[in-house]
Amino acid sequence: DTATTGEELRSRVAGLLAESRARSTALTEAVDEADLVAQHSPLMSPLVWDLAHIGSQEELWLVRDVGGREPLRPEIDGLYDAFQHSRSSRVALPLLTPAETRTYVAEVRDKALDALERTPLTGRRLVEHGFAFGMIVQHEQQHDETMLATHQLRAGAPVLQAPAPPAGRPPAAREVLVPGGPFTMGTSTEPWALDNERPAHVVDVPAFVIDTAAVTNAEYAAFVDAGGYDDPRWWSDEGWAHRVSAGLVAPQFWQRDASGTWYRRRFGVVEPLRADEPVVHVCFHEAEAYARWVGKRLPTEAEWEKAARHDPTTGRSRRYPWGDEDPTPAHANLGQRHLQPAAAGAHPLGASPLGVQQLIGDVWEWTSSGWHPYPGFEVFPYPEYSQVFFGGDYRVLRGGSFGTAPAAIRATFRNWDHPIRRQIFAGFRCARDPRPEDGSA
Ligand code: AVJ
Ligand code: FE
């Protein structure tokens, strides 16, 4: 945005830093000391590690790098380096105590705000330093979503509360044809886009048909109830092998009572499965099997982004499905305002020009694509964010979830995880190749 001045950016950043810290504080004050240092799942860090890691990254990038200050606690850098210790081993490290962690992150924040005050945010510096602050805001929010996933895995009484999301009526058209042709994927102008979203490049995407809503619990339950988990026809070889070895029988956190009614456990509350909500906590293999069962497939990453950004009238790619404005609560279910995805059709104002709904927020959406750099990719600012994962056993997820902050999502944002992972707030929508009756392709 050419109109952004250094002062506007400064106050915007200060507000977003405060917002992310309020969320981190709420997530870590909700549980007692024992819970903070506990290992709730081998897939997750103890909550106290995430909090100190948030501070440690902020210290590295804002206090030391942008601010040019001396390290506060150089001796703890290694403890909070995600590449030195696996998530499952972090609980055994000599971590800061919860009280020490709170003091540390508060001291770092004071110095980061001081750097924000003193740093020139004009010209090139606005871009460089503005990005560093944006990266740290996004980083804290990403770990807040990770901590929310840890809360979901945690046993015991519920500690988080939020109002129910708005109701909705499923879109009248269940799928739409996206005409074939080129569109601009990725971005070279979005100021806080991470390296993997860059650069903007033209991709020619053949015509495809995509669902206007994500697959719901009722739809997914029909697959489970029809024996979908017992029939290797719907699964890839790799997916079937995983289904068998991991003993998957339904999405994570689902349970059935004696009469066959489905329930799910959500942040410690067991409640009847809500039929019209997007299914969540399925792995890539489950998403792929469901899609095959209904005669469809998952969208590719390029298809997903074209459905989310392409404006067929102007030929331009938008920042969001609804346009270029930042998300509001009317557009999308983001930022942990609710503790679950909203029903299909709950955010019609967030629809794309072709009427595809809820692409942003609610549930991360699995795509069929692996994790690869765009043509012209350049590491920025460090290889451990994206590059070291390229080509690994990952699938791309798009769109963010109810637990993703608005500052940490846009239609170009790319997430990735292993195809067997279910602890993230991930669901999916289906796509397919057009048939003659779908009209002009
Ligand atoms: C982009 C969500 C895969 O949480 O592992 C946080 C983001 N990178 N700290 C993750 C990230 C470094 C990353 N994901
Ligand atoms: Fe991190």
Side-chain angles (χ1 to χ4, degrees), residues 53 87 139 142-143 146 382 385 415-416:
H53 167 80
R87 283 183 172 184
H139 183 258
Q142 287 173 332
H143 279 273
T146 299
Y382 66 114
Y385 185 81
N415 193 5
W416 66 95

Side-chain angles (χ1 to χ4, degrees), residues 191-210:
W192 290 1
L194 299 159
D195 57 0
N196 63 65
E197 297 163 70
R198 302 169 186 268
H201 58 290
V202 173
V203 180
D204 198 352
V205 183
F208 63 100
V209 172
I210 191 161

